Amino acid sequence: MSLNKGEYQILPSILAGDAGKLVEEAHSVDITEIEYLHVDVMDGHYVPNLTMGPDVVKSLKKNTRFKLDVHLMIDNASEMIPVFIDAGADILTIHQEGVLHLHREIHRIKQLGALAGVSLNPATSLETLRWVLPDLDLVLIMCVNPGFSGQDFIESSMDKVKQLAQWKQRDGAKLVIEVDGGIGPANIGKMYEAGARYFVAGSAVFYQSDRKAALHKLLHAINSERTRQGSLQV
Ligand code: DX5
Ligand code: ZN
């Protein structure tokens, strides 16, 4: 199982859509370049917001063509891992801060057939992942404090991504670096340059009047950065 089908992905975050019609909202971001939907699961304890459960994941799986990137922001993530994989998570991301035995849970996710991601809050050091980096399919760097769409990007996230990208290269690690929170046309190119390859986008897509145009704008910003890097290498 490989994450790197495309070299990079934009993952629309359905949390930023209208909660009363999520399947319809998912269809509104259906352009060929989009492979995954990002689904934020919040329990009102781990973060100050309450959102979607396994039935919503099941419904999105059944009624859309997207793979699902499920981001758990809940207290009892360990207990809920099998439930969300059964519901249809293709990538399951848990928070480093939210589980006691991270190594065990990463391997449980993989054994149950999903790709394993771990997320870090803005205040959490990369060092906390040092000994599990080779086990991971994905590291999700939170660029806002988790809980809501539409918050401002926290600048220190950029350096965190750069450092992780250096570690990844040094160790030859396979993991993909995903960024979530405050990502938009103004910073997506810089985050690509820093080393991120999966870009979660909530408000930058769903709060826009033309969502498909908004996605194309984000893709264009990444492609401009790739072209710039290419021209630097000549
Ligand atoms: C925040 C969530 C995000 C959120 C991103 O806790 O994890 O996925 O929807 O929204 P934007 O892109 O608007 O910051
Ligand atoms: Zn998220």
Side-chain angles (χ1 to χ4, degrees):
M1 221 173 179
S2 162
L3 266 185
N4 286 319
K5 198 170 162 203
E7 278 189 61
Y8 56 88
Q9 299 279 346
I10 310 261
L11 302 92
S13 177
I14 198 75
L15 173 68
D18 183 332
K21 46 173 186 173
L22 290 178
V23 169
E24 217 176 310
E25 293 292 79
H27 289 142
S28 78
V29 294
D30 194 342
I31 61 169
T32 49
E33 291 87 345
I34 304 301
E35 204 175 317
Y36 286 96
L37 268 188
H38 182 82
V39 183
D40 290 300
V41 176
M42 306 183 185
D43 65 352
H45 293 272
Y46 185 72
V47 287
N49 195 2
L50 192 55
T51 61
M52 296 161 267
D55 287 345
V56 172
V57 173
K58 268 185 208 160
S59 169
L60 289 169
K61 190 76 182 178
K62 188 172 150 212
N63 297 300
T64 77
R65 67 161 180 87
F66 296 112
K67 292 187 200 161
L68 300 178
D69 173 37
V70 176
H71 177 190
L72 295 187
M73 287 158 277
I74 58 177
D75 271 350
N76 56 341
S78 305
E79 286 165 45
M80 297 303 279
I81 285 169
V83 176
F84 279 96
I85 294 177
D86 269 0
D90 295 283
I91 303 173
L92 190 65
T93 296
I94 53 179
H95 268 258
Q96 183 276 337
E97 307 87 352
V99 297
L100 201 50
H101 301 288
L102 192 58
H103 181 275
R104 174 187 291 152
E105 305 310 354
I106 290 166
H107 285 278
R108 205 145 66 98
I109 293 171
K110 290 174 149 184
Q111 274 158 18
L112 292 171
L115 294 167
V118 170
S119 182
L120 295 181
N121 285 329
T124 306
S125 169
L126 280 180
E127 289 290 341
T128 57
L129 296 187
R130 182 167 175 189
W131 302 110
V132 291
L133 281 185
D135 305 294
L136 284 170
D137 295 306
L138 178 146
V139 174
L140 193 176
I141 302 293
M142 284 307 298
C143 306
V144 298
N145 288 296
F148 304 93
S149 303
Q151 303 182 80
D152 289 339
F153 179 80
I154 296 172
E155 287 296 333
S156 57
S157 322
M158 181 86 72
D159 285 339
K160 212 178 198 178
V161 169
K162 282 184 190 160
Q163 192 183 346
L164 179 57
Q166 278 170 11
W167 287 9
K168 172 177 152 73
Q169 198 173 21
R170 182 195 63 194
D171 300 350
K174 293 269 190 303
L175 62 93
V176 168
I177 304 175
E178 182 174 48
V179 286
D180 184 7
I183 302 297
N187 58 15
I188 200 165
K190 287 257 173 259
M191 291 307 267
Y192 183 93
E193 186 185 11
R197 290 296 177 268
Y198 278 29
F199 304 88
V200 177
S203 50
V205 175
F206 285 100
Y207 292 8
Q208 311 305 313
S209 52
D210 187 339
R211 293 168 175 179
K212 291 182 181 172
L215 284 169
H216 284 297
K217 195 168 171 184
L218 293 171
L219 290 163
H220 178 73
I222 295 174
N223 279 318
S224 302
E225 174 55 28
R226 283 162 62 85
T227 308
R228 194 190 68 83
Q229 286 182 11
S231 67
L232 289 178
Q233 278 161 19
V234 176

